[in-house]
Amino acid sequence: MPENRIAIISIIVEDRAASVQINKILSDCGDCIVGRMGIPYKQKDVSVICVVVDAPTETINLITGKIGMLRGVSAKTVTSKK
């Protein structure tokens, strides 16, 4: 069984139409989400979302990859070393 890691998935949303798809992806893996913070940055017309997850590396990469492939969305992950 793969070992879980703690990670932060940082998401920048430039196209709000992608919000429904982002929420669907995050909802599908809700069991591994520790917390989530979303900040609308109205002056720049973007939203920033930070999601803390506790999951196997493969799952973390899958979530980040699916979100990062959406139009108008960027996603990167920082993973714990433990």
Side-chain angles (χ1 to χ4, degrees):
M1 176 174 239
E3 185 177 321
N4 280 15
R5 302 190 73 181
I6 297 170
I8 301 168
I9 303 172
S10 300
I11 306 163
I12 297 177
V13 184
E14 296 176 344
D15 183 353
R16 290 194 64 189
S19 297
V20 172
Q21 294 157 306
I22 293 169
N23 287 327
K24 169 81 170 97
I25 293 166
L26 294 177
S27 178
D28 288 346
C29 64
D31 292 344
C32 68
I33 294 177
V34 176
R36 171 182 172 170
M37 176 180 62
I39 302 169
Y41 189 3
K42 294 178 183 176
Q43 294 90 334
K44 299 288 184 176
D45 197 28
V46 299
S47 293
V48 179
I49 304 168
C50 296
V51 182
V52 178
V53 296
D54 184 354
T57 303
E58 186 175 300
T59 301
I60 295 166
N61 292 340
L62 182 66
I63 296 165
T64 305
K66 284 182 177 181
I67 292 172
M69 290 176 58
L70 298 174
R71 184 172 171 256
V73 179
S74 300
K76 298 290 181 187
T77 301
V78 176
T79 307
S80 69
K81 293 182 181 180
K82 293 183 179 184

